[in-house]
């Protein structure tokens, strides 16, 4: 008789929506993942990434043992080694010679003990997180406006609003379940209007009522214009503000708004479109403004966020149902990290480092006198200080700075120079491991347990449902082992993550007296049993022992967390920021043609972002083969008119280059990007693509207050590169890099598919790759060669078999290979291959190169099928009915709309 299945409720490890996930473990040991219908973030929905979580549990790319200088060692040896090296460095150079670079992928309990160790017991504030790259600008803007880093909106407000403004946010791809909720609300209530403000045409903009394709980087001027319009319409509610605060904010906004016509010209949209936006905002009281990386990752990130918040404050559209600003994060626990003080600029529980009373409170609570009054170094500053020889040891946890930090080549140089680099990591595919002296194998999602806070202040349990791989360990355990080896055992003697959570809750209760913002007082006495069964809830929870599970609204009573209880509007001005900026930012005032005239060789603004089915540096999502189908290579999108000007052709290659680095990418022509701009996905790095991380082209410019890097403002020269030989190469064996100028690796079932190009002529490229295929197979392997001429192009192909089993495939020609890649992505799963049919296949390039890549993963509907349906009707709903696409998770709806429009 089979045992009953075990069901574990946990949380998705990817974006800040923080969806609840149910994992069912069968007796056979397989794991079935579905959305948790009880979780208030998603009510059972999941996107493509969440639905594929069960496919990412493969252990072939996992780290299983602690290592020192590449040698496997026991845990106690590794932790003692790190503790010993830390102590020597502290003795010789002081505590500020140590830094932790941590991550929004850590659980709150991990984050709490990391922060406690370095701030409380090592005595340095040099801890910062990759959330610096994502949410530090809105965090600063919220603190200035509300007196605390508090998100004032819940997801249900999207459904209660009459107008949703999405600014710098491709919600359909980056926060798909929120987008699904919004779409469902609109389907029920068609009067709900959606406006997208984004320079690019995206899957999100295609489903919106209005799309303002403003010039990149002009959002601040736009929202200041809106503020002036709201004032002129008499819609202001000044009761919360001092006259001075009002006057200064409006005066600053006026400097950007002479007239609707002038503003429309500056931001490069039609004046009627601009006026319509103003009128919609003015006439709909229930407005939610959702903003994300298009706002945050800018040299003006804080001011842009403030300008959006100002429009809500001045109209009193905050703290009430269906209204307010919502800065939504791309990380599962960016907010949890900020709550425990996992940033260089704050203490735990929303307390301020510069506040001596707060330091005393935390020091007393931790029973430590080591708290340091100096703010620590932010992410970029940590690597600068390593480069300058001031920081001698860095512990990197759950993040991959070699791919994700700006100016990647500088990060490489710094880590090369650093005497001690410790990396806690789960996957062997992280680029950063190459620079590690010590590697701690960390247990990832599925094997670790703790809490996370999503984008609406909702704390949920992430629960383990499978045993840890080999000797992997939970991050909090690793940190506590090092702390104990350093002699801090009394403060780090936890036996279970629930004890850490209870301690942290107790600290928030004490801090609440001074912050008035953040408290988990209801949970200070939580024990393991209660922790294990804890259901999702929103903070604050400041009533002792009275946990409430309903939606918790903040600022409903008009009381904010400032000293006088009033909110602050922050005077911000696009014009004055423009004046104060260095030459590096003057692109905002330039047209693409004048830029290219200055440079002489095609200077363009490089924008980066997510593709639909990948997350961050793909260490997890690339394992799920179906997630690799939507975007197999990191193309760079360019407007066809620019491409013509710079002699760039579709599916050929461009060298992107500037003072910081260079990257070779394949070209995709698209009117989705404006002239003068480029777009490329952020996920690929040297571990899976010859072009490396896009961030090697991003310089050190950042917002002066938040220190969030300006990832979306890199200027690059774009030069065509002739690569006369292109190839596709399928193998059952992992190959870390290829001997060609260009390559991209895609994981497919039972193997890997490479897209390749080189300066070698086709025949030479083919011969080189044939040798590689031979080397990667046994002497039993038989090679079957084929040659075909199609449209005056010669294709050279070979099939490698062992008996009747396909073990490899290679084809090369002198231009983009138009083979139907859907065959290749499945070929290795076929038990036998008929040489004859394979040969026929290799001789027949696909009529439609994109036909095979699915748009809807749930029911496997590809572009060609959508196009055929679109020939019958251009109604999205009917196309979904005809094809079955878009009816399950809904992640593809925006893509379907894009496809219909093209
Ligand atoms: Fe996970 Fe975000 Fe998708 Fe939800 S929307 S399933 S949290 S990636």
């Amino acid at each position: 008789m089979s045992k009953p299945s075990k069901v574990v409720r946990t949380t998705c490890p990817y974006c800040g929506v923080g969806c609840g996930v149910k994992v069912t473990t069968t007796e056979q040991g397989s794991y079935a993942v579905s959305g948790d219908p009880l979780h208030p973030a998603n009510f059972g929905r999941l996107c493509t990434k969440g639905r594929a979580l069960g496919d990412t549990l493969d252990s072939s790319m996992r780290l299983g043992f602690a290592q020192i200088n590449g040698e496997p060692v026991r845990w106690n040896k590794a932790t003692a080694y790190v503790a010993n090296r830390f102590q020597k460095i502290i003795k010789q150079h002081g505590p500020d010679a140590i830094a932790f670079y941590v991550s929004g992928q850590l659980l709150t309990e991990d984050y709490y003990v990391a922060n406690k160790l370095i701030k409380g017991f090592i005595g340095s504030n040099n801890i910062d997180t990759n959330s610096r790259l994502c949410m530090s600008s809105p965090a600063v803007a919220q603190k200035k406006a509300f007196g605390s880093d508090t998100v004032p909106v819940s997801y249900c407000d999207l459904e209660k609003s009459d107008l949703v403004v999405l600014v710098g946010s491709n919600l359909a791809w980056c926060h798909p379940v929120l987008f699904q909720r919004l779409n469902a609300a609109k389907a029920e209530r068609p009067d709900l209007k959606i406006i997208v403000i984004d320079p690019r045409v995206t899957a999100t903009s295609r489903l919106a009522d209005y799309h303002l394709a403003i010039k990149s980087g002009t959002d601040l001027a736009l929202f200041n214009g809106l503020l002036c319009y709201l004032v002129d319409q008499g819609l202001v509610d000044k009761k919360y503000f001092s006259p001075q605060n009002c006057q200064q904010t409006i005066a600053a906004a006026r400097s950007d708004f002479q007239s609707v016509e002038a503003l429309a010209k500056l931001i490069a949209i039609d004046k009627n479109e601009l006026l319509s936006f103003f009128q919609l905002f003015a006439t709909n009281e229930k407005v939610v403004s959702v903003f994300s990386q298009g706002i945050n990752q800018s040299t003006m990130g804080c001011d842009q966020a403030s300008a959006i918040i100002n429009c809500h404050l001045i109209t009193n559209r905050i703290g009430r149902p269906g209204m307010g600003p919502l800065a939504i994060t791309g990380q599962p626990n960016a907010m949890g990290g900020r709550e425990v003080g996992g940033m260089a600029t704050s203490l735990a529980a929303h307390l301020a480092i510069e506040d001596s009373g707060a330091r005393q409170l935390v020091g007393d609570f931790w029973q430590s006198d080591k708290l340091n009054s100096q703010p620590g170094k932010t992410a970029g500053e940590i690597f600068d200080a390593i480069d300058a020889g001031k920081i001698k040891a860095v512990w990197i946890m759950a993040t991959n700075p070699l791919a994700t930090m700006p100016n990647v080549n500088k990060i490489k140089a710094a880590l090369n120079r650093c005497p001690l680099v410790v990396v806690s990591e789960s996957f062997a595919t992280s680029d950063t491991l190459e620079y590690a002296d010590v590697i701690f194998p960390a247990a990832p999602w599925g094997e670790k347990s703790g809490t996370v806070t999503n984008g609406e202040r909702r704390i949920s349990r992430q629960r383990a449902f499978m045993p840890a791989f080999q000797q992997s360990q939970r991050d909090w355990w690793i940190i506590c082992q090092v702390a104990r080896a350093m002699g801090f055992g009394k403060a780090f003697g936890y036996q279970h993550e629930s004890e850490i959570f209870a301690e942290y809750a107790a600290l928030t209760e004490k801090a609440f007296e001074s912050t008035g913002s953040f408290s988990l007082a209801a949970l200070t006495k939580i024990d393991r049993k209660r922790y294990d069964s804890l259901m999702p809830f929103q903070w604050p929870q400041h009533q002792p022992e009275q946990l409430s599970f309903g939606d918790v609204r903040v600022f409903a009573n008009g009381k904010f967390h400032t000293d006088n209880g009033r909110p602050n509007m922050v005077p911000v001005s696009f014009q004055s920021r423009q004046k104060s900026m260095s030459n590096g930012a003057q692109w905002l005032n330039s047209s693409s043609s004048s830029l290219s005239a200055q440079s002489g060789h095609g200077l363009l603004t490089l924008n980066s972002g997510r593709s639909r089915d990948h997350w961050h540096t793909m260490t997890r999502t690339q394992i799920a083969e179906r997630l690799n189908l939507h975007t197999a290579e990191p193309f760079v999108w360019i407007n066809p008119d620019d491409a013509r000007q710079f002699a760039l052709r579709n599916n050929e290659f461009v060298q992107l280059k500037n003072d910081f680095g260079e990257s070779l990418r394949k070209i995709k022509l698209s009117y989705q990007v404006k002239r003068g701009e480029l777009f490329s996905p952020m996920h690929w790095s040297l571990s899976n693509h010859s072009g490396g991380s896009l961030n090697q082209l991003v310089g050190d410019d950042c917002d002066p207050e938040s220190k969030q890097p300006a990832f979306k403002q890199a200027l690059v020269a774009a030069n065509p590169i002739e690569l006369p030989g292109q190839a596709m190469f399928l193998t059952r064996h992992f190959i870390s890099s290829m001997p060609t100028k260009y390559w991209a690796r895609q994981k497919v079932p039972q193997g890997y598919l490479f897209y390749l190009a080189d300066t070698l002529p086709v025949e030479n490229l083919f011969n080189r790759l044939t040798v590689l295929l031979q080397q990667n197979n046994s002497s039993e392997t038989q090679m079957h060669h084929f040659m075909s001429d199609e449209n005056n192009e010669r294709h050279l192909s070979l099939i490698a078999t062992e008996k009747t089993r396909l073990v490899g495939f290679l084809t090369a020609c002198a231009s983009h290979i138009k083979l139907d890649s859907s065959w290749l992505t499945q070929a290795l799963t076929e038990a036998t291959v008929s040489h004859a049919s394979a040969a026929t296949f290799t001789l027949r390039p696909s009529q439609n190169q994109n036909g095979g890549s699915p748009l809807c993963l749930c029911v496997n509907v590809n572009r060609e099928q959508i196009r055929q349906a679109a020939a019958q009707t251009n109604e999205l709903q009917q196309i979904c009915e005809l094809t079955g696409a878009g009816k399950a998770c809904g992640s593809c709806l925006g893509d379907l709309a894009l496809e219909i429009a093209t």
Side-chain angles (χ1 to χ4, degrees):
M1 207 171 89
S2 65
K3 284 187 204 160
S5 302
K6 190 175 117 199
V7 176
V8 172
R9 291 194 135 83
T10 182
T11 315
C12 175
Y14 299 128
C15 82
V17 180
C19 295
V21 170
K22 258 173 52 179
V23 182
T24 307
T25 310
T26 65
E27 191 194 6
Q28 292 72 32
S30 65
Y31 302 97
V33 170
S34 59
D36 182 352
L38 299 181
H39 198 290
N42 57 318
F43 296 109
R45 294 177 171 93
L46 290 179
C47 71
T48 48
K49 294 185 284 287
R51 286 165 74 100
L53 273 166
D55 300 346
T56 67
L57 302 172
D58 175 297
S59 59
S60 56
M61 287 296 162
R62 286 288 302 282
L63 295 163
F65 298 91
Q67 296 171 42
I68 299 175
N69 298 324
E71 293 297 320
V73 293
R74 288 182 183 281
W75 267 112
N76 58 357
K77 187 166 179 196
T79 51
Y81 177 84
V82 170
N84 189 279
R85 293 283 307 270
F86 278 179
Q87 281 167 324
K88 283 188 178 153
I89 289 169
I90 293 166
K91 197 168 175 200
Q92 205 176 348
H93 304 283
D96 283 334
I98 309 282
F100 291 179
Y101 182 55
V102 299
S103 157
Q105 286 83 267
L106 288 178
L107 304 181
T108 298
E109 293 74 2
D110 307 326
Y111 245 132
Y112 177 81
V113 290
N115 193 47
K116 181 176 177 181
L117 173 58
I118 191 159
K119 285 188 181 147
F121 290 83
I122 289 176
S124 169
N125 291 323
N126 286 342
I127 175 169
D128 214 42
T129 157
N130 60 7
S131 305
R132 177 73 58 190
L133 318 179
C134 167
M135 289 303 285
S136 52
S137 286
V140 167
Q142 286 170 175
K143 183 127 198 264
K144 289 203 285 189
F146 314 139
S148 66
D149 176 14
T150 301
V151 172
V153 167
S154 298
Y155 298 160
C156 63
D157 288 316
L158 290 171
E159 288 143 352
K160 292 174 183 159
S161 68
D162 294 323
L163 173 67
V164 173
V165 183
L166 301 168
V167 199
S169 157
N170 185 6
L171 204 72
W173 282 15
C174 304
H175 303 99
V177 165
L178 266 195
F179 189 65
Q180 288 171 34
R181 286 182 64 164
L182 184 57
N183 264 333
K186 185 163 172 67
E188 249 179 50
R189 212 159 40 88
D191 284 349
L192 163 61
K193 295 276 180 290
I194 302 172
I195 298 179
V196 168
I197 299 171
D198 194 320
R200 274 196 307 145
V201 174
T202 63
T204 311
S205 72
R206 274 288 172 225
L207 288 181
D209 296 291
Y210 304 93
H211 175 205
L212 303 190
I214 63 169
K215 187 174 179 175
S216 279
T218 58
D219 309 75
L220 174 51
L222 171 65
F223 278 88
N224 268 350
L226 173 63
L227 187 124
C228 296
Y229 183 85
L230 296 170
V231 170
D232 294 343
Q233 297 298 309
L235 290 168
V236 300
D237 182 344
K238 296 182 181 172
K239 68 172 176 276
Y240 290 132
F241 310 104
S242 68
Q244 192 190 26
N245 186 221
C246 259
Q247 279 160 14
Q248 286 175 345
T249 306
I250 295 168
R254 291 258 182 241
S255 69
D256 292 338
F257 186 63
Q258 276 69 52
S259 65
V260 171
E261 288 77 9
L263 180 59
K265 191 167 172 219
L266 176 80
I267 65 177
I269 63 168
D270 181 85
K271 79 168 187 311
N272 293 322
E273 284 181 308
L274 179 60
L275 201 53
S276 298
F277 166 56
F278 285 176
Q279 285 166 346
L280 273 169
F281 199 104
T283 53
N284 287 282
E285 188 183 29
K286 290 187 173 175
V287 187
V288 175
S289 302
V290 182
F291 60 101
S292 194
Q293 304 315 332
I295 290 295
N296 308 348
Q297 292 180 335
S298 158
T299 51
M300 296 185 282
C302 290
D303 287 358
Q304 291 179 160
S306 291
I308 295 168
I309 293 170
N310 286 348
C311 290
H312 281 269
L313 285 176
I314 204 164
T315 50
N316 191 20
R317 292 171 181 180
I318 197 162
R320 292 186 287 148
M323 58 185 85
L326 171 62
I328 180 78
T329 166
Q331 294 188 307
N333 200 24
M335 200 184 289
R338 275 139 58 199
E339 288 156 14
V340 300
M343 296 183 99
T345 40
S346 61
L347 273 180
H350 283 193
L351 292 165
I353 283 179
E354 57 277 14
D355 178 349
S356 60
R359 289 199 304 279
Q360 187 69 44
L361 185 153
V362 176
D364 290 348
F365 186 82
W366 285 342
Q367 298 182 12
S368 167
D369 59 3
K370 292 231 183 95
L371 270 82
N372 188 330
S373 61
Q374 294 302 309
K377 299 202 181 316
T378 58
E381 292 166 350
I382 285 176
F383 290 97
D384 284 342
I386 294 172
D387 204 31
K390 291 183 178 153
I391 288 178
K392 308 283 184 188
V394 63
W395 188 352
I396 297 165
M397 302 180 203
T399 186
N400 186 4
L402 254 293
T404 55
M405 283 291 292
N407 204 347
V408 164
N409 289 322
K410 189 181 81 176
I411 306 298
K412 274 185 200 169
L415 289 184
N416 246 334
R417 196 162 298 160
C418 189
L420 178 64
V421 178
V422 183
V423 178
S424 295
E425 175 57 61
S426 306
F427 295 98
T429 42
S430 167
D431 309 64
T432 304
L433 292 169
E434 191 185 335
Y435 296 84
D437 301 294
V438 179
I439 296 172
F440 290 142
W445 182 82
E447 299 169 25
K448 65 180 178 178
S449 161
T451 55
V452 288
T453 311
N454 76 357
E456 58 171 352
R457 308 185 324 277
R458 195 175 300 280
I459 295 178
S460 304
R461 283 295 319 279
Q462 215 180 79
R463 294 180 173 92
F465 56 84
M466 60 194 296
F469 175 68
Q470 293 182 344
Q471 294 185 10
S472 304
Q473 275 290 358
R474 298 140 296 168
D475 285 285
W476 69 261
W477 182 90
I478 303 169
I479 297 159
C480 290
Q481 292 303 307
V482 171
R484 289 178 199 177
M486 291 180 79
F488 309 130
K490 199 169 153 221
F492 292 87
Y494 314 103
Q495 298 300 310
H496 190 262
E497 51 274 7
S498 60
E499 296 164 21
I500 303 171
F501 185 84
E503 178 182 311
Y504 158 58
L507 176 58
T508 67
E509 184 183 35
K510 292 201 178 305
F512 185 67
E513 283 169 29
S514 72
T515 64
S517 61
F518 173 57
S519 173
L520 300 177
L523 291 154
T524 55
K525 296 194 173 56
I526 193 166
D527 59 13
R528 181 168 171 179
K529 193 166 165 224
R530 201 166 147 222
Y531 180 81
D532 282 344
S533 60
L534 191 63
M535 296 292 283
F537 64 92
Q538 276 184 303
W539 63 258
Q541 294 282 344
H542 49 74
Q543 296 297 335
E545 291 308 297
Q546 289 181 34
L547 185 61
S548 123
F549 292 100
D551 289 327
V552 177
R553 193 159 292 288
V554 291
F555 311 139
N557 56 3
K559 290 267 182 300
F560 289 76
H561 303 138
T562 54
D563 290 344
N564 62 10
R566 292 171 164 194
N568 293 313
M569 288 191 293
V570 181
V572 288
S573 158
F574 178 75
Q575 297 300 337
S576 51
R577 285 301 301 273
Q578 282 284 282
K579 279 186 203 135
S580 64
M581 276 179 177
S582 65
N583 285 343
Q586 284 177 4
W587 58 278
L588 287 168
N589 285 329
S590 311
S591 69
S592 59
S593 56
S594 65
L595 281 170
S596 51
Q598 286 164 27
S599 69
H601 50 229
L603 205 54
L604 299 159
T605 302
L606 176 63
N607 187 2
S608 65
R610 293 168 197 271
S611 59
R612 191 190 74 188
D613 294 343
H614 281 305
W615 189 77
H616 283 195
T617 59
M618 310 198 295
T619 45
R620 181 179 282 280
T621 50
Q622 69 181 333
I623 299 168
E625 289 108 6
R626 58 180 152 149
L627 295 182
N628 297 322
L629 298 174
H630 180 266
T631 310
E633 290 176 89
F635 290 97
V636 60
W637 272 258
I638 182 167
N639 184 290
D641 297 331
D642 281 340
R644 234 183 331 273
Q645 184 179 346
F646 305 127
L648 300 169
R649 286 187 291 272
N650 203 28
N651 290 314
E652 295 193 0
F653 296 88
V654 60
Q655 186 78 5
L656 305 178
K657 192 171 181 185
N658 62 17
D659 289 347
F660 305 100
E662 55 188 77
S663 179
L664 181 68
R665 303 239 153 186
K666 202 179 264 187
I667 299 163
K668 195 61 104 189
L669 300 189
S670 171
Y671 285 107
Q672 284 177 241
V673 289
K674 281 181 168 248
R675 287 210 68 182
E677 298 182 6
L678 301 168
F679 176 81
S680 191
M682 59 185 255
H683 311 284
W684 279 260
S685 65
L686 260 190
S687 67
N688 45 36
H689 178 239
S690 56
S693 165
L694 208 60
N695 293 331
Q696 64 193 297
L697 296 159
V698 176
D700 295 318
D701 283 348
C702 60
D703 183 279
E705 285 180 275
S706 69
K707 305 286 194 250
Q708 178 158 355
F711 283 106
K712 294 177 181 290
Q713 296 177 338
L715 285 179
V716 294
N719 294 311
I721 297 289
E722 286 288 325
L723 296 180
Q726 294 204 34
M728 288 171 92
F729 181 102
L730 182 70
T731 172
R732 287 188 184 272
H733 304 280
F734 179 80
I735 300 173
S736 59
S737 67
M738 293 296 263
T740 50
K741 192 131 178 86
Y742 175 89
W743 59 267
R745 187 181 57 242
Q746 176 188 357
K747 173 92 176 68
V748 297
Q750 298 181 26
Y752 301 88
L753 176 60
F754 284 86
Y755 304 84
L756 307 150
D758 202 74
T759 46
L760 288 175
V762 178
E763 285 77 9
N764 300 29
L765 175 64
F766 183 77
N767 291 340
R768 179 188 281 186
L769 294 172
T770 301
V771 172
L772 187 68
L773 200 53
Q774 276 162 342
Q775 285 168 349
N776 276 280
N777 286 293
S778 71
S779 56
E780 308 279 295
T781 306
Q782 292 187 318
M783 301 287 189
H784 311 273
H785 289 256
F786 306 94
M787 189 163 62
S788 69
D789 289 300
E790 190 78 22
N791 300 329
N792 296 326
E793 273 181 359
R794 174 143 299 182
H795 285 247
L796 301 171
S797 308
L798 76 77
I799 292 171
T801 58
E802 283 175 13
K803 298 189 178 143
T804 56
R805 182 170 170 260
L806 182 76
V807 294
F809 171 81
L810 165 64
T811 188
C813 80
S815 66
H816 178 63
I817 296 172
K818 300 183 186 69
L819 285 179
D820 185 340
S821 61
S822 66
W823 181 84
L824 284 170
T825 58
Q826 294 302 322
L828 294 173
T829 61
E830 294 173 14
T832 60
V833 168
S834 151
H835 296 167
S837 65
T840 307
F841 168 77
T842 59
L843 295 171
R844 195 187 64 232
S846 161
Q847 292 306 303
N848 188 317
Q849 57 180 292
N850 288 322
S853 73
L855 282 183
C856 174
L857 293 188
C858 300
V859 292
N860 206 11
V861 174
N862 66 34
R863 282 200 164 81
E864 189 52 28
Q865 290 165 293
I866 297 297
R867 282 176 197 161
Q868 283 169 11
Q872 298 174 46
T873 171
N874 58 7
E875 283 297 319
L876 179 60
Q877 195 68 32
Q878 288 178 22
I879 286 171
C880 293
E881 293 298 331
L882 281 171
T883 61
K887 291 166 73 77
C889 85
S891 296
C892 64
L893 284 170
D895 290 42
L896 302 185
L898 272 176
E899 203 58 44
I900 296 166
T902 49

